[in-house]
């Protein structure tokens, strides 16, 4: 199959690379020429400055200029194309709706090239990135208005989680394909021939609208599940005496119907998808008069979760942040990534600055550089109070309190570093329950406050 993947961000680049592994002729197309020339080198460092996924640059190195080609020139590749995957950004508007301006402009350009084709073979345009329900239909109308011949539209959402995108794309749990016509389903079956009759992978063919809805329902369900544990499980552990949250979690998730994923209480879920998708689904459902209370609550619980440990430190441990130095360990939205999009640490840092802290000493194994872009003094002068360090130990030095915001494994061994580096009275706020031997710390006079447990050894009045 001759495939164009339009848009070479995280979704597009991973998809293009994995399709090229299956012997399709894949053209990864982007209007950003700098990106295209970086990818075309095949050099991992060049590629990883845009998309850093384990295994990705290896595939690109293997298939580059054999099955995988990068280009910014759409006209030169359009002839003979069977499938065009649209992996275009649809950022959120302030009201939660998706901004389709960029998407529409890119499709208009594509439609003009498609209308000029000499080869009139059937081409299927496929929405791969998350787009509002009804976008495939909107896409069809855009192409009709440009008089494109012999085309079909489809929705084929991706469900990849960062850090494991390549292995998941190679072996997905499901492939969802939404089309209107049998001939389009057939074309996509050829693209995904390795998955169609797979014993474990569910290959689901449905309407375009259902495929689009599957993505939103899946992501909002996952966030709601996390919010359930944060808003109910963690609170039970914090407010009712003699509850062990780990045992509670293990006991509940022993039931095959209840997932362990999502049951790890935290200071909120971040990332580029969950918040954006739930707000978009709320917007879409309100427009058709659906009561969205449940979704609104999930979203609100998650947002509050990002700051509530700071509230607890003040109300339950009588800690005063004003004029104190706080170490923030972990900045990325989850471990194994440098991605700062919607990371809980952003809310944590903004709230701490709002409480008048003197200094913030930050450390993340991968995300210091990304974080420094988010916390640029151009955005807010208070960000000049943040200093970045190359280790947890250095960040801890001279601090009065510590906030753990990301679940990096290296933080599990933090208690000895804490004892060596800072002396009590000292406030430890653990947003990820990373420190297993907190009893020892509490015994030695450190004040320990974790999500899901009552505060240990509160500061004296
Ligand atoms: C998510 C979905 O998993 C994926 O299917 C979808 O396509 C895109 O969004 P991703 O954003 O990469 O993927 O992150 P994920 O691993 O799902 O974690 C999201 C957030 O939830 C992180 O901040 C993570 O730390 C947090 N989380 C996850 C918890 O707080 N507790 C958990 O038990 C699991």
């Amino acid at each position: 199959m001759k495939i164009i993947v339009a848009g070479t961000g995280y979704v597009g680049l991973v998809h293009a690379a994995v399709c090229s592994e299956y012997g399709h002729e894949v053209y990864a197309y982007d209007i950003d020429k700098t990106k295209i020339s970086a990818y075309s080198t095949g050099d991992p460092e060049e590629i990883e400055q845009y998309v850093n996924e384990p295994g990705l640059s290896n595939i690109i190195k293997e298939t580059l200029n054999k099955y995988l080609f990068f280009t910014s020139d759409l006209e030169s590749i359009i002839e003979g194309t069977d499938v065009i995957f649209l992996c275009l950004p649809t950022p959120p508007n302030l009201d939660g709706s998706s901004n389709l301006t960029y998407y529409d402009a890119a499709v208009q350009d594509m439609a003009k090239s498609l209308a000029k084709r000499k080869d009139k073979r059937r081409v299927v345009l496929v929405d791969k990135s998350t787009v509002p329900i009804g976008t495939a239909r909107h896409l069809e109308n855009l192409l009709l208005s440009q008089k494109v011949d012999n085309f079909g539209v489809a929705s084929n959402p991706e469900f990849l989680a960062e850090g494991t995108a390549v292995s998941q794309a190679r072996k997905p749990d499901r492939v969802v394909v939404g089309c209107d016509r049998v001939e389009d389903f057939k074309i996509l079956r050829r693209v995904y021939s390795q998955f169609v009759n797979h014993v474990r992978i569910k290959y689901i063919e449905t309407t375009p609208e259902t495929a689009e809805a599957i993505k939103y329902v899946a992501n909002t369900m996952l966030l709601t599940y996390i919010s359930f544990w944060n808003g109910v499980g963690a609170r039970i552990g914090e407010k009712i005496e003699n509850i062990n949250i780990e045992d509670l979690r293990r006991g509940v998730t022993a039931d095959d119907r209840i997932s362990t994923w999502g049951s790890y209480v935290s200071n909120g879920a971040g990332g580029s998808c969950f918040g954006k998708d739930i707000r978009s689904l709320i917007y879409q459902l309100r427009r058709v008069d659906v009561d969205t209370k449940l979704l609104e609550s999930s979203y609100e619980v998650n947002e509050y979760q990002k700051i509530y440990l700071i509230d607890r430190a003040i109300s339950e441990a009588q800690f005063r942040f004003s004029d104190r130095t706080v170490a923030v360990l972990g900045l990325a939205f989850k471990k194994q990534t440098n991605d700062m999009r919607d990371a809980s640490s952003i809310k944590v840092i903004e709230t701490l600055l709002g409480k008048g802290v003197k200094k913030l000493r930050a450390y993340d194994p991968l995300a210091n550089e990304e974080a420094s872009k988010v916390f640029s003094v151009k955005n807010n002068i208070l960000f000049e109070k943040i200093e970045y360090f190359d280790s947890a130990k250095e960040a801890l030095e001279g601090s009065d309190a510590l906030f753990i915001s990301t679940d990096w494994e290296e933080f599990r061994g933090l208690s000895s570093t804490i004892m060596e580096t800072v002396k009590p009275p000292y406030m430890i706020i653990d947003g990820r329950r990373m420190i297993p031997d907190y009893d020892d710390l509490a015994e030695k006079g450190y004040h320990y406050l974790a999500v899901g447990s009552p505060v240990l050894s509160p500061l004296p009045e």
Side-chain angles (χ1 to χ4, degrees):
M1 304 292 276
K2 178 170 175 182
I3 294 172
I4 295 177
V5 177
T8 59
Y10 162 76
V11 174
L13 193 63
V14 172
H15 187 58
V18 172
C19 280
S20 74
E21 271 195 307
Y22 292 110
H24 298 301
E25 185 185 336
V26 183
Y27 293 85
Y29 158 73
D30 203 301
I31 51 168
D32 184 338
K33 293 194 170 107
T34 331
K35 245 188 199 177
I36 287 297
S37 47
Y39 296 151
S40 307
T41 62
D43 175 356
E45 257 184 52
E46 293 280 335
I47 298 165
E48 283 161 14
Q49 58 173 321
Y50 296 105
V51 183
N52 191 350
E53 275 297 319
L56 180 64
S57 45
N58 276 348
I59 306 180
I60 296 177
K61 218 164 111 194
E62 290 289 313
T63 61
L64 187 64
N65 299 330
K66 284 184 231 137
Y67 294 107
L68 179 61
F69 307 87
F70 290 98
T71 182
S72 290
D73 181 4
L74 187 61
E75 300 271 326
S76 70
I77 52 171
I78 204 91
E79 288 297 329
T81 300
D82 298 292
V83 179
I84 302 177
F85 285 101
L86 302 171
C87 304
L88 304 167
T90 52
N93 291 317
L94 283 175
D95 60 2
S97 62
S98 303
N99 181 345
L100 291 178
T101 320
Y102 180 82
Y103 177 93
D104 283 358
V107 171
Q108 296 285 7
D109 272 355
M110 199 155 285
K112 282 182 195 137
S113 302
L114 283 169
K116 284 193 253 163
R117 283 182 307 166
K118 288 190 202 71
D119 177 349
K120 297 289 182 198
R121 81 166 70 184
R122 189 161 184 83
V123 58
V124 186
L125 282 92
V126 188
D127 281 321
K128 184 103 195 128
S129 41
T130 309
V131 287
I133 304 166
T135 303
R137 201 64 58 208
H138 167 73
L139 172 64
E140 183 177 34
N141 290 331
L142 286 177
L143 294 166
L144 285 173
S145 72
Q146 295 289 335
K147 309 220 170 346
V148 178
D149 289 329
N150 201 16
F151 74 90
V153 294
S155 164
N156 167 224
E158 62 80 28
F159 300 91
L160 309 174
E162 283 188 42
T164 48
V166 169
S167 57
Q168 284 182 321
R170 280 173 168 162
K171 210 177 232 188
D173 39 21
R174 82 287 222 189
V175 177
V176 174
V177 176
C179 296
D180 291 317
R181 296 168 71 154
V182 175
E183 58 215 286
D184 298 335
F185 281 122
K186 277 191 181 158
I187 291 175
L188 283 156
R189 272 181 226 154
R190 286 180 59 202
V191 173
Y192 291 124
S193 58
Q194 74 277 22
F195 301 139
V196 176
N197 292 315
H198 199 283
V199 281
R200 275 184 306 278
I201 297 167
K202 293 193 177 78
Y203 193 84
I204 299 163
E205 294 184 332
T206 183
T207 67
E209 285 77 3
T210 312
E212 288 162 343
I214 286 172
K215 177 64 191 269
Y216 280 103
V217 175
N219 267 3
T220 53
M221 166 81 81
L222 293 173
L223 181 61
T224 302
Y225 185 62
I226 292 178
S227 284
F228 181 88
W229 274 103
N230 280 334
V232 180
R235 298 295 188 276
I236 290 175
E238 289 153 10
K239 297 286 184 189
I240 299 178
E241 245 176 69
N242 215 18
I243 295 278
N244 179 318
I245 180 82
E246 314 300 353
D247 296 343
L248 181 72
R249 189 171 63 72
R250 290 195 311 146
V252 172
T253 59
D255 184 330
D256 281 346
R257 294 169 301 175
I258 303 179
S259 125
T260 50
W261 185 95
S263 67
Y264 295 90
V265 295
S266 65
N267 61 319
S272 63
C273 296
F274 285 164
K276 175 165 107 45
D277 291 354
I278 201 162
R279 290 184 65 225
S280 173
L281 188 60
I282 291 170
Y283 180 88
Q284 295 176 57
L285 292 178
R286 276 188 189 152
R287 293 188 62 179
V288 288
D289 290 330
V290 174
D291 186 329
T292 53
K293 256 193 239 95
L294 177 65
L295 296 177
E296 285 163 50
S297 301
S298 304
Y299 178 71
E300 279 160 24
V301 166
N302 191 52
E303 288 308 294
Y304 181 55
Q305 195 71 10
K306 297 176 182 177
I307 55 164
Y308 103 120
L309 288 175
I310 296 173
D311 284 355
R312 282 187 66 202
I314 297 167
S315 62
E316 289 174 38
Q318 289 77 47
F319 189 79
R320 297 281 164 264
F321 287 98
S322 169
D323 226 22
R324 299 290 184 84
T325 296
V326 182
V328 180
L329 299 188
L331 300 164
F333 86 95
K334 65 176 185 181
K335 63 183 169 185
Q336 314 291 26
T337 177
N338 66 347
D339 195 340
M340 285 294 295
R341 284 176 295 173
D342 222 358
S344 299
S345 68
I346 300 176
K347 276 264 173 82
V348 168
I349 285 180
E350 286 173 352
T351 308
L352 290 173
L353 289 169
K355 302 274 179 218
V357 291
K358 183 161 76 188
K359 279 255 162 237
L360 288 173
R361 298 172 65 85
Y363 163 68
D364 188 285
L366 279 186
N368 278 1
E369 198 185 321
E370 280 305 305
S372 67
K373 293 180 201 157
V374 175
F375 303 120
S376 153
V377 280
K378 280 193 222 132
N379 300 337
N380 186 337
I381 188 75
L382 287 180
F383 292 151
E384 69 183 9
K385 292 187 177 184
I386 310 171
E387 205 178 331
Y388 300 90
F389 296 90
D390 293 330
S391 69
K393 187 172 172 50
E394 286 168 88
L396 286 172
E397 272 160 22
S399 61
D400 305 296
L402 145 70
F403 195 116
I404 302 176
S405 188
T406 313
D407 50 345
W408 287 104
E409 292 303 332
E410 68 173 73
F411 298 153
R412 290 198 193 279
L414 207 60
S415 49
S416 51
T417 316
I418 294 173
M419 286 189 255
E420 276 162 34
T421 319
V422 285
K423 295 287 162 243
Y426 189 86
M427 182 80 231
I428 301 164
I429 307 171
D430 187 349
R432 295 287 187 155
R433 298 189 67 84
M434 294 308 287
I435 301 179
D437 43 357
Y438 52 82
D439 285 345
D440 294 353
L441 282 164
E443 254 173 44
K444 297 210 161 60
Y446 294 86
H447 307 279
Y448 181 76
L449 175 96
V451 56
S453 296
V455 64
L456 283 182
S457 169
L459 288 169
E461 288 290 307

